[in-house]
Amino acid sequence: MTATIDTAWSNPLRDSRDKRLPRIAGPCSLVIFGVTGDLARRKLMPAVYDLAARGLLPPSFALVGFARRDWDDQDFGQIVHDAVREHSRTPFREEVWERLSEGFRFVQGAFDDDAAFDQLSEVLADLDRQRGTDGNHAFYLSIPPGAFPTVCEQLQRSGLADQTDEHWRRVVIEKPFGHDLTSAQELNAVVNRVFPEDAVFRIDHYLGKETVQNILALRFANQLFDPLWSSHYVDHVQITMAEDIGLGGRAGYYDGIGAARDVIQNHLLQLLALVAMEEPVSFEPRELQNEKIKVLSATRNVLPLELNTARGQYGPGWQGSTEVPGLVDEEGFAQDSITETYAAIAVEVDSRRWAGVPFYLRTGKRLGRRVTEIALVFKRAPHLPFDKTMTEELGENALVIRVQPDEGITLRFGSKVPGSSMQVRDVNMDFSYGQAFTESSPEAYERLILDVLLGEPSLFPVNDEVELSWKILDPVLRAWADSGRPDTYESGTWGPRSADEMMNRVGRTWRRP
Ligand SMILES: NC(=O)c1ccc[n+]([C@@H]2O[C@H](COP(=O)([O-])OP(=O)(O)OC[C@H]3O[C@@H](n4cnc5c(N)ncnc54)[C@H](OP(=O)(O)O)[C@@H]3O)[C@@H](O)[C@H]2O)c1
């Protein structure tokens, strides 16, 4: 008789809950600071409604807005209503709205106003009594980063950050997590003085996307890909986040930050960590974080930086069929600014698996298309038993994880062109979320807000990840700061010439997604 081992049972790290069941938050309130802001209106309030519509919020849930406007609870309700009507993913249902809006409260005040935080404390205590939120509060700082220290200190002063065995208190922080290593360390120190690290949820909304979580399923639920997933077969990896839009009204915010800080430091290095990490012992948050931390600790810039990085600012050109101005003509952008709207860097992961495989990370505004993808580009076959002419149209094999839009996975390989002659050309095999599943994917913010309320930290970078990412980026930013103005690239193209040169020098090209 063969003995069978129940691996789920024998692994002490796995809990007994059936992970297929919907996860519903317990009694709690969500306090949003900066509730009049763009993020709250477009993403946060609609996500709260969508969670309620999916039955994932408890009856004893409350949403509290904090801002400077002279609003009462009804005004706030109207603002949430308008945001939900305009931006929610699920259809508006009156009965969901009625139940949810009973728990809306608004507190008026500025961040340095002690009395406003004392009032917030009273409102939350009332909600605990009236709606049974049980003293569990999540504080979402959807505010300018410079205000994080003040709000954390106010939460501490008013006793709202106090943790006990009876209730939890959590804080949610939006990127940017500092603008270099030193400022990130200072920020982490400020936040960790008030909240223990396991109560801090740093939002990198890319990690809330289904396609990004699917990297783990693709890699660790299948036998097919793992043997290929290393320097034996992978030539290089390209991770791209391209936007077709320019800065528009955000020019003032963006000047001094730039593409590398805005995207590479967080989203792209997180994607790299998921692609390059080893299999975690389990999907317990600590295990996942450890594997990502190992990758980020082993990630080095390819040197010299002047040949292995590229940056640029968009000039005039076309966005689709519309003629658009260049960056320096955007309102709020300093004429002599050296802030880049395009950034590309090459890094390597010093590990047995990835030795010698460059990872190219690039992001930019006003590029040819809005697309985010991860492409593993494979080495060419060591020998081709064909006449040269037969494989002239054969490129490199590639596995492309399409993060957005048109979420899915493409496998590109060579195939015989039908006909009496032998000719090989690239073809694509496609998996598309939209076609394979009937369920639509939740918005990243739905998933992440629910995880905050559940205290499930897997998808939130911890302070070590943030600091390691800055350690990778800081030398690049210093080198760029010392070398004058970035190149200009035409809007609607795929970036500056220096980016192509960076790849051509080593016999590679950027993908044109
Ligand atoms: N927008 C996005 O898509 C996006 C994406 C990723 C990350 N983020 C991050 O998310 C955060 C919020 O972004 P946002 O675009 O929503 O910003 P925003 O539109 O500028 O909103 C900022 C909010 O903070 C409030 N505020 C500012 N100073 C205050 C003070 N002293 N006292 C009280 N309230 C104050 C403002 O309230 P008033 O109405 O009273 O001025 C407003 O509600 C930022 O950290 C940003 O970097 C945003």
Side-chain angles (χ1 to χ4, degrees), residues 214-220 222-235 237 271-279 351-354 357 359 374-376 378 399-401 409 411:
N214 194 34
I215 297 171
L216 300 178
L218 178 81
R219 294 195 54 200
F220 304 124
N222 298 301
Q223 177 72 338
L224 181 58
F225 302 106
D226 186 58
L228 305 177
W229 213 269
S230 75
S231 61
H232 294 301
Y233 294 99
V234 176
D235 177 74
V237 180
L271 294 181
L272 173 136
L274 291 170
V275 169
M277 74 183 208
E278 296 302 316
E279 182 180 285
S351 68
R352 173 173 286 243
R353 185 185 284 272
W354 294 114
V357 178
F359 286 71
I374 302 161
L376 279 79
F378 291 91
L399 177 74
V400 184
I401 300 168
I409 295 172
L411 192 58

Side-chain angles (χ1 to χ4, degrees), residues 34-40 42 66-69 109-111 142-145 148 174-176 253 445:
V35 82
T36 56
D38 172 67
L39 183 71
R42 280 190 308 111
F66 186 106
R68 288 178 287 198
R69 310 281 161 99
F111 299 146
S142 179
I143 58 177
F148 290 170
E174 272 287 343
K175 66 154 207 184
Y253 156 83
Y445 277 97

Side-chain angles (χ1 to χ4, degrees), residues 7 10 13 17 30 39 48 80 117 121 132 164 170 183 216 224 230 238 264 272 308 312 338 359 386 388 425 447 466:
T7 47
S10 59
L13 288 173
R17 190 168 53 85
L30 174 66
L39 183 71
V48 168
V80 186
F117 279 81
S121 185
T164 70
R170 297 176 188 142
S183 57
L216 300 178
L224 181 58
S230 75
Q238 295 189 22
I264 294 183
L272 173 136
N308 291 288
I338 61 161
F359 286 71
F386 304 94
K388 217 165 163 225
R425 191 197 293 160
R447 168 70 199 249
V466 171

Side-chain angles (χ1 to χ4, degrees), residues 177-178 180-190 467 470-471:
F177 314 122
D180 58 11
L181 176 60
T182 310
S183 57
Q185 285 168 330
E186 283 165 10
L187 174 63
N188 282 337
V190 167
E467 292 180 15
W470 282 118
K471 272 191 191 158

